Amino acid sequence: MTSVLLIDDDFELTALLGEYLEQQGFRVSVAGDGERALGRILDARADIVVLDIMMPKVDGLAVLRRIRSESSVPVLMLTARGDEADRIMGLNLGADDYLAKPCSPAELAARIRAILRRTLPSESQVSESASVQREGALSIDRQRRLATWAGTPLALTGVEFNLLDVLVSQTGKPVSRADLSLQGLGRPLAAYDRAVDVHVSSIRQKLSTFDDGRSPIQSLRGVGYVFVRE
């Protein structure tokens, strides 16, 4: 049974969301503030964390920093609708995706499944493609979900690995932002949605550059991105 750690100080909302998620077959645990959540991050052993940004004592961004310092568990942020700054900050800190509040329980469940489907691929998905692909200094091991550059492991989140894998599998070919959102995040690209761009920017920072200073991931204005060979 998939375990969800729900971190939010809105007790009525967490009760509603938790009840629905349990009806959908998830095992749910709840923390009502950031301070309490920090003490349960490792103990809960959650498969995914749903994290509200605005909380008392310790805010969600501080909790997210702590999570990413100790764990690669998928994190779905809950943010105020229209609060782009918090969304971008959360993505930069390593959140896998975000959902604006208020949200429906069904929408939350669907987003959780989409993230888990992309971060925990099935054996059939792995077997359909080559387990390991090498492009220059970069190696992608799909079965182990491990990317290395010149033999050094890259500290990628689950979604970052997905996006890099999509780009590398199409090396030399442009991949649209819409396709990256569908294949990497598991959802359609929304209007004014910058999640893909923030994740790609983070991946670029973790990759080394070529000898001429270029990044292996190139932007194509009005199109998307392309992974290029040196």
Side-chain angles (χ1 to χ4, degrees), residues 8-64:
D8 197 315
D9 64 324
D10 187 332
F11 297 108
E12 292 185 3
L13 178 63
T14 54
L16 173 66
L17 296 177
E19 181 180 0
Y20 182 85
L21 291 175
E22 288 178 344
Q23 291 173 356
Q24 295 297 304
F26 296 99
R27 182 172 63 252
V28 180
S29 57
V30 176
D33 60 65
E35 189 173 83
R36 189 174 306 170
L38 287 174
R40 299 181 58 182
I41 289 170
L42 297 180
D43 293 339
R45 300 181 184 278
D47 295 305
I48 186 168
V49 174
V50 177
L51 173 63
D52 185 33
I53 293 298
M54 298 298 296
M55 289 189 297
K57 298 184 180 179
V58 181
D59 68 25
L61 294 177
V63 174
L64 179 57

Side-chain angles (χ1 to χ4, degrees), residues 116-126 142 145 162:
L116 292 174
R117 193 163 52 243
R118 297 299 171 183
T119 56
L120 299 173
S122 66
E123 292 183 6
S124 61
Q125 288 175 309
V126 172
R142 296 184 175 95
R145 291 187 62 77
N162 297 340

